[in-house]
Amino acid sequence: MLALMLTISSCQGQVSVKYELPAKLKDRPERILQRVGYTTSYNEQTKTPNWVAWHLTKAHTYGKNQRKQEVFTEDEDIAKSLRATNMDYYNSRYDRGHMCPAGDNKWDKEAMRQSFLFTNICPQNHGLNKYEWNDLEILCRDWARKYGAIDIVCGPIYERNSAPKTIGKGKVRVPEAFFKVVLCRQGKAKAIGFIYRNEGVKQLMSEAVRSVDEIERLTGIDFFPSLDDQTEARVEAYSNLSDW
């Protein structure tokens, strides 16, 4: 895991911390896959990511590579019996919902291609995917342009005491909701979280706001562990959309 938390510049010999990466999970299957534009923690039981994390810079919000040229693809790094497929989603009434969005990967051809791997995808209600979730993705790109860069983690939320709902022969698990947490380290660091139900009903962004602490309690994921303890405690305890 240390190799995932640190990247080493061979030219300058400097160590750069990857602030977007959550702490290692101990309560569920986790297969870490490093991509050009993001890192995913894949769960071979749910056949969806536990989380997907990426560092979004202003430069990465622009580019010539368009999603219309891409197709959703099985991830061959995962054994065939443990990965989701297009057929799992066929006639499921769920979209193939990006966690790290295609719109954040237009800067690089391979990054765009990899954003369509099923290890970056969850079953998502069409209305949520088209409206609220898309609006939040656009807002994050606006923030990256405003602040220069932000760190993002998002993923599914499963109710632990409910019978799992799945789609397809592969039994890809359908989330009850989705989370997204965002960290800005420019100036005085701040963070904000969001939770959207996986439903096609109107959900106001202001009502979706949560503290990172609250999302940690709900998901069991420790976000932004590379921050110093004092900063982490401060930014994760409070979220206010108007501060952004």
Side-chain angles (χ1 to χ4, degrees):
M1 189 64 181
L2 181 61
L4 290 169
M5 297 299 294
L6 304 175
T7 54
I8 299 178
S9 170
S10 59
C11 296
Q12 300 178 357
Q14 296 177 341
V15 175
S16 178
V17 179
K18 300 194 73 169
Y19 285 93
E20 73 272 21
L21 294 184
K24 181 177 177 60
L25 294 171
K26 300 178 181 179
D27 62 346
R28 73 204 76 172
E30 177 175 64
R31 172 86 179 271
I32 299 295
L33 301 168
Q34 182 67 57
R35 305 305 185 200
V36 173
Y38 62 89
T39 304
T40 181
S41 162
Y42 183 69
N43 188 320
E44 294 176 342
Q45 290 182 351
T46 63
K47 297 185 180 176
T48 63
N50 296 306
W51 53 258
V52 179
W54 64 105
H55 179 69
L56 182 63
T57 68
K58 179 179 180 180
H60 285 181
T61 66
Y62 303 100
K64 63 181 181 180
N65 299 285
Q66 299 299 317
R67 64 173 293 159
K68 64 182 179 180
Q69 301 169 351
E70 302 297 336
V71 295
F72 290 93
T73 307
E74 295 177 37
D75 193 327
E76 294 186 358
D77 284 343
I78 303 299
K80 195 168 185 64
S81 63
L82 299 175
R83 66 195 194 211
T85 71
N86 259 316
M87 286 305 299
D88 289 319
Y89 284 80
Y90 182 70
N91 277 343
S92 71
R93 296 189 177 183
Y94 285 95
D95 285 5
R96 296 161 293 187
H98 284 77
M99 295 296 95
C100 181
D104 288 7
N105 289 279
K106 293 186 292 185
W107 57 279
D108 184 90
K109 183 178 181 179
E110 181 64 6
M112 173 62 76
R113 185 193 71 80
Q114 291 178 345
S115 75
F116 283 81
L117 292 172
F118 277 110
T119 42
N120 182 46
I121 304 297
C122 288
Q124 194 166 51
N125 178 276
H126 174 71
L128 174 63
N129 189 23
K130 184 177 180 180
Y131 296 109
E132 287 88 352
W133 198 249
N134 182 59
D135 289 344
L136 183 55
E137 291 172 345
I138 292 171
L139 182 59
C140 286
R141 286 191 282 275
D142 289 343
W143 286 341
R145 292 165 186 151
K146 178 179 179 179
Y147 296 112
I150 55 175
D151 300 300
I152 305 172
V153 192
C154 73
I157 296 175
Y158 299 110
E159 293 181 5
R160 299 177 185 181
N161 297 323
S162 64
K165 181 177 181 180
T166 63
I167 59 171
K169 290 183 178 179
K171 298 189 181 301
V172 179
R173 189 162 179 185
V174 178
E176 279 76 34
F178 292 93
F179 73 85
K180 180 167 283 187
V181 294
V182 183
L183 171 68
C184 175
R185 291 180 282 114
Q186 182 189 54
K188 187 176 182 180
K190 58 186 174 183
I192 191 168
F194 301 87
I195 292 177
Y196 283 98
R197 300 184 307 279
N198 195 15
E199 302 172 356
V201 297
K202 185 175 179 61
Q203 302 176 67
L204 297 177
M205 183 176 291
S206 59
E207 295 178 357
V209 173
R210 301 288 189 277
S211 71
V212 176
D213 277 343
E214 184 176 349
I215 298 178
E216 285 185 333
R217 289 192 294 270
L218 191 61
T219 62
I221 301 173
D222 179 11
F223 301 108
F224 312 128
S226 293
L227 290 172
D228 66 84
D229 291 343
Q230 184 176 5
T231 300
E232 182 181 5
R234 177 180 61 80
V235 302
E236 292 185 355
Y238 172 80
S239 289
N240 190 326
L241 190 57
S242 64
D243 289 344
W244 291 72

